[in-house]
């Protein structure tokens, strides 16, 4: 037997011995013991194991991976996030394409894992951090990336710096909704706004007319002439109605005349000074007045649905302290009152009209500075002449056949705003309208007609001996 044949026979005998041993082992396994192929499966996930590494890659930037041994295969779980360019067996370029997360596996020629990279692609915020340090050197701002968003945190001196930081981040990202502003303001400035609404109105009405009544009798023929010249502009308002003593009568002719004359001068003064305080960046509203009901509709049962319309002195504003002493204000102010002009009367219900003075704008003022935010100068004139056609145009004598109705309205309105940056103070330093008030005694009320006792500041008696009459906080 040759040497090769002997080796072959030895291998066959060893194979039969191995098969016999495996069969014996199989017979030795209990019947109730379950053996599954899954027990021999090995599963490795990204981020676990000694070969795992993590890397943060900037958007549209690259990283170079140098391997200690040659790689055969490279697997990227999401090629849309990271592109892997294999330059050589030991060098690979990773390029961040979009913001997101992925991982990459590197294997050698035997299928063994060389490296597992957990890759997170984010925006490179170095430029934004440098810009914030340059434009806001005193602010303490931390910038973090969260997926495709930017989170601003830290503290700034005022709301203006917070707005500037947000604007810089929005310009860097390109979209407003991708910036989350979590900046805190060190000191919350409080702004007190004082608004003065001053208005003067002057109304003039003049009416003048002559009514004639004449009768003529010639035998069996009788004729009469009656003229009534009304006032079409205002209607007949009343006033002095004079029957002229100049009447002429004869046996056949009688003439009577009635003179109507009326004149009215009126003046209205309106002054409202609402004051309101709010934190910088927050809105505040104020209303001193009331609400009147307005019927809206009826339901199937005939019940009336009512809504309420507010009126009075109203103020709403939103202050933003831009820098030391500079305040941006978004203001809306209104002064309204009920009036019969434009009122609606229907089915026994009367809905009044509103005389409204309203202004809304955005201003920028220093603390303590005043500015006229709105103003109005109005001069309106109306005049009508009513009379008998033809006769009213006759010079001199035409005045007997016509009437004149004249109206003139003048209005001057000014709205002044003054903001102040204020701080809290001691309660004892605050004065109230009711401080020092003392009701008058029965003797002062009956004999002197006083409603309140005479008093001075902080309840002290007035020092001016020439002062006469009731003196107080409101009454002077």
């Amino acid at each position: 037997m040759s040497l090769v044949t002997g080796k072959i026979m030895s291998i066959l005998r060893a194979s039969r011995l191995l098969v016999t041993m495996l069969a014996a082992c199989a017979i030795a396994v209990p019947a109730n013991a379950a053996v599954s192929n899954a027990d021999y499966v090995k599963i490795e996930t990204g981020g676990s194991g000694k070969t795992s590494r993590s890397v943060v890659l900037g958007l549209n930037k690259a990283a170079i991976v140098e391997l200690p041994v040659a790689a055969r295969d490279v697997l990227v779980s999401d090629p849309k996030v990271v592109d892997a360019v294999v330059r050589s067996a030991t060098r690979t370029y990773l390029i961040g394409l979009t913001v997101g997360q992925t991982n990459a596996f590197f294997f050698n020629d035997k299928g063994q894992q060389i490296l597992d990279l957990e890759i997170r692609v984010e925006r490179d915020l170095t430029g934004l951090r440098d810009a914030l340090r340059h434009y806001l050197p005193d602010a303490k701002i931390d910038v973090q990336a969260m997926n495709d968003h930017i989170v601003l945190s830290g503290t700034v001196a005022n709301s203006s710096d917070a707005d500037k930081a947000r604007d810089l981040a929005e310009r860097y990202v390109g979209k407003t909704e991708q910036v989350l502003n979590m900046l805190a303001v060190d000191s919350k400035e409080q702004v007190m706004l004082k608004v003065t609404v001053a208005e003067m109105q002057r109304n003039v009405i003049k009416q003048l007319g002559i009514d004639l009544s004449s009768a003529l009798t010639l035998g069996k023929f009788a004729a009469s002439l009656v003229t009534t010249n009304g006032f079409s502009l205002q209607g007949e308002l009343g006033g002095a109605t004079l029957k002229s003593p100049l009447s002429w009568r004869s046996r056949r002719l009688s003439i009577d005349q009635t003179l109507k004359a009326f004149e009215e001068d009126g003046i209205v003064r309106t002054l409202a000074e609402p004051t309101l305080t709010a934190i910088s960046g927050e809105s505040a509203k104020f209303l001193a007045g009331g609400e009147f009901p307005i019927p809206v509709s009826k339901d199937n049962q005939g019940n009336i649905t009512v809504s309420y319309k507010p009126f009075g002195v109203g103020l709403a504003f939103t202050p933003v302290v831009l820098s030391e002493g500079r305040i941006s204000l978004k203001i809306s102010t209104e002064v309204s009152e009920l009036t019969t002009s434009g009122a609606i009367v229907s089915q026994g219900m009367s809905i009044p009209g509103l005389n409204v003075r309203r202004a809304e704008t955005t201003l920028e003022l220093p603390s303590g500075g005043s500015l006229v935010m709105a103003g109005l100068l109005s001069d309106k004139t109306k005049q009508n002449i009513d009379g008998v056609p033809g006769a009213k145009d006759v010079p001199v004598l035409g005045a007997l056949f016509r009437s004149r109705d004249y109206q003139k309205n003048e209005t001057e309105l000014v709205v002044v705003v003054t903001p102040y940056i204020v701080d809290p103070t001691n309660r004892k330093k605050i004065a109230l309208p009711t401080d020092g008030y003392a009701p008058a005694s029965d003797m002062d009320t009956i004999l002197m007609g006083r409603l309140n006792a005479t008093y001075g500041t902080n309840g002290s008696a007035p020092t001016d001996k020439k002062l006469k009459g009731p003196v107080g906080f409101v009454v002077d």
Side-chain angles (χ1 to χ4, degrees):
M1 181 180 295
S2 64
L3 180 60
V4 177
T5 305
K7 289 184 178 180
I8 293 174
M9 295 300 294
S10 299
I11 294 173
L12 291 175
R13 285 194 296 268
S15 299
R16 287 195 295 269
L17 177 61
L18 179 60
V19 172
T20 304
M21 293 176 62
L22 290 175
C25 292
I27 296 173
V29 175
N32 57 355
V35 178
S36 173
N37 293 331
D39 294 339
Y40 301 100
V41 176
K42 182 180 179 181
I43 299 176
E44 292 185 3
T45 59
S48 63
K50 296 181 180 180
T51 60
S52 296
R53 298 291 187 273
S54 297
V55 62
V56 177
L57 189 60
L59 180 62
N60 298 324
K61 292 192 175 183
I64 301 175
V65 179
E66 294 283 354
L67 300 175
V69 296
R72 175 77 176 269
D73 295 325
V74 178
L75 171 64
V76 179
S77 61
D78 192 349
K80 295 181 180 178
V81 177
V82 173
D83 184 19
V85 179
V86 179
R87 185 63 176 175
S88 65
T90 59
R91 175 176 292 182
T92 302
Y93 301 150
L94 300 179
I95 303 174
L97 301 179
T98 59
V99 175
Q101 296 182 6
T102 185
N103 55 359
F105 295 92
F106 296 82
F107 303 94
N108 59 15
D109 54 354
K110 297 180 181 180
Q112 296 174 343
Q113 179 177 309
I114 303 174
L115 177 64
D116 167 26
L117 274 183
E118 292 292 323
I119 307 173
R120 187 170 72 251
V121 180
E122 295 180 349
R123 294 181 180 273
D124 188 359
L125 303 179
T126 304
L128 177 59
R129 293 190 180 97
D130 293 340
L132 292 174
R133 281 193 297 266
H134 176 73
Y135 292 105
L136 302 171
D138 298 330
K140 299 178 182 179
I141 302 176
D142 184 25
V143 183
Q144 297 293 334
M146 181 181 293
N147 293 331
D148 201 19
H149 295 70
I150 293 179
V151 181
L152 301 178
S153 60
T155 58
V156 291
N158 48 58
S159 300
S160 176
D161 290 348
D163 294 338
K164 292 177 181 177
R166 186 191 64 240
D167 292 340
L168 287 173
E170 290 176 358
R171 300 299 187 276
Y172 190 84
V173 178
K175 294 182 179 180
T176 303
E177 61 272 11
Q178 291 180 325
V179 178
L180 178 59
N181 189 359
M182 300 182 64
L183 294 173
V185 180
D186 282 340
S187 59
K188 289 288 187 179
E189 294 92 346
Q190 298 184 97
V191 179
M192 182 182 71
L193 180 65
K194 181 179 180 181
V195 179
T196 301
V197 181
E199 181 183 17
M200 293 295 296
Q201 294 183 9
R202 182 173 181 267
N203 301 323
V204 177
I205 297 176
K206 296 179 181 181
Q207 291 181 339
L208 177 64
I210 298 177
D211 294 339
L212 294 178
S213 177
S214 61
L216 175 63
T217 303
L218 296 175
K220 295 181 179 181
F221 176 79
S224 62
L225 175 64
V226 178
T227 62
T228 302
N229 300 319
F231 303 101
S232 59
L233 185 62
Q234 296 288 335
E236 190 167 339
L237 299 178
T241 300
L242 304 176
K243 186 174 183 180
S244 173
L246 299 178
S247 59
W248 187 84
R249 296 179 182 277
S250 65
R251 185 166 57 91
R252 297 180 179 180
L253 178 64
S254 63
I255 300 176
D256 295 322
Q257 63 180 357
T258 301
L259 174 66
K260 293 182 178 181
F262 176 78
E263 182 174 351
E264 178 183 87
D265 291 330
I267 188 170
V268 178
R269 174 181 180 268
T270 302
L271 179 63
E273 290 186 339
T275 302
L276 192 59
T277 303
I279 295 177
S280 175
E282 301 294 334
S283 300
K285 294 182 180 181
F286 168 81
L287 176 64
E291 295 183 344
F292 64 94
I294 299 177
V296 178
S297 62
K298 289 184 178 182
D299 56 16
N300 297 331
Q301 299 178 355
N303 299 321
I304 299 177
T305 303
V306 178
S307 64
Y308 289 86
K309 175 71 175 180
F311 69 94
V313 179
L315 173 63
F317 83 114
T318 303
V320 176
V321 179
L322 302 178
S323 61
E324 189 65 28
R326 294 176 58 246
I327 307 170
S328 175
L329 299 170
K330 184 177 181 181
I331 313 169
S332 175
T333 182
E334 177 180 312
V335 177
S336 57
E337 58 188 357
L338 300 179
T339 178
T340 57
S341 178
I344 299 176
V345 179
S346 176
Q347 299 179 358
M349 292 186 299
S350 177
I351 303 175
L354 280 179
N355 187 12
V356 181
R357 281 82 76 196
R358 181 186 297 117
E360 183 174 354
T361 186
T362 301
L363 303 173
E364 183 176 324
L365 294 172
S367 177
S370 298
L371 188 67
V372 178
M373 65 171 286
L376 172 65
L377 285 174
S378 176
D379 190 349
K380 183 170 61 176
T381 302
K382 296 180 181 180
Q383 184 171 211
N384 277 8
I385 293 180
D386 303 294
V388 179
K392 69 180 180 62
D393 299 325
V394 176
V396 183
L397 295 179
L400 300 176
F401 300 94
R402 64 174 177 254
S403 64
R404 179 199 182 203
D405 198 356
Y406 174 83
Q407 179 183 0
K408 183 179 180 65
N409 298 325
E410 296 177 344
T411 301
E412 183 174 358
L413 172 66
V414 174
V415 181
V416 181
V417 293
T418 306
Y420 300 92
I421 297 179
V422 295
D423 296 319
T425 186
N426 194 309
R427 174 64 180 82
K428 296 180 180 179
K429 297 181 180 180
I430 299 177
L432 301 178
T434 55
D435 290 347
Y437 171 78
S441 63
D442 293 342
M443 189 65 67
D444 287 343
T445 303
I446 295 173
L447 299 181
M448 307 301 296
R450 294 176 178 173
L451 297 178
N452 59 282
T454 303
Y455 62 93
T457 306
N458 296 328
S460 61
T463 57
D464 190 355
K465 296 182 180 180
K466 297 181 181 180
L467 190 62
K468 297 180 181 180
V471 179
F473 190 90
V474 177
V475 182
D476 54 15

